[in-house]
Amino acid sequence: MNKNAYQKYKTTSVQSASREKILLMLYEGAIKFTKLAIKAIEEKKIADRGVNIGRAFDIIMELNNTLDHKVGGDIATQLEQLYMFMMEQYTKANISGTVEPLQANLKLLNTLYDGWVQAVEKIKTDDKKAG
């Protein structure tokens, strides 16, 4: 598949994805960029570290900006606190060049991702029962 066709496929898959799927894709991206940032630190690639931390940071900031506190209530507030903590960790990792803050974020991201996967599956199951 040539690069242009792949790009069109990716764009179409994002545009046609459900909100739940987009949420999971954002988490997958944050996990991927956090792992790449850890690898960059281990390989002493400062520019790559900055780029990947920046991408992960931007994803978490977007997740934070899209929280709906009216609908989400306490959960939205707790997620906001978690996202703010994670953004601080990304900043700390970028300044210090240490992997520990990134490893902490990776653990949180994986836990959140697994929780959202389960929630999405439950929604699908409940929708099938109701339909």
Side-chain angles (χ1 to χ4, degrees):
M1 190 182 292
N2 70 31
K3 195 169 185 164
N4 197 25
Y6 175 70
Q7 199 58 44
K8 284 181 183 169
Y9 167 78
K10 264 179 49 178
T11 301
T12 303
S13 67
V14 169
Q15 289 171 345
S16 62
S18 66
R19 286 191 343 236
E20 295 85 6
K21 179 66 178 158
I22 290 170
L23 177 72
L24 295 178
M25 290 166 78
L26 286 168
Y27 275 105
E28 288 163 6
I31 289 167
K32 178 180 101 173
F33 292 125
T34 302
K35 286 179 179 176
L36 288 171
I38 290 170
K39 186 174 183 252
I41 288 173
E42 290 168 347
E43 295 173 358
K44 301 199 183 332
K45 294 183 177 175
I46 296 167
D48 290 351
R49 173 186 86 202
V51 167
N52 289 302
I53 287 174
R55 287 180 173 164
F57 182 98
D58 288 347
I59 291 170
I60 298 305
M61 191 163 55
E62 181 61 24
L63 288 167
N64 188 48
N65 290 341
T66 57
L67 287 172
D68 187 337
H69 290 274
K70 287 186 182 121
V71 176
D74 287 347
I75 292 173
T77 301
Q78 290 170 358
L79 281 171
E80 180 180 40
Q81 291 169 349
L82 208 50
Y83 293 154
M84 297 303 278
F85 170 77
M86 292 170 76
M87 288 189 284
E88 287 173 21
Q89 294 298 99
Y90 283 122
T91 302
K92 191 183 293 185
N94 207 20
I95 292 169
S96 68
T98 57
V99 296
E100 291 79 14
L102 297 177
Q103 289 167 333
N105 276 1
L106 193 56
K107 203 178 287 188
L108 287 170
L109 286 166
N110 282 316
T111 300
L112 287 166
Y113 178 78
D114 291 343
W116 283 115
V117 167
Q118 290 173 11
V120 168
E121 286 305 313
K122 184 173 180 351
I123 290 168
K124 285 181 188 171
T125 303
D126 290 351
D127 285 350
K128 283 181 185 167
K129 287 179 187 173

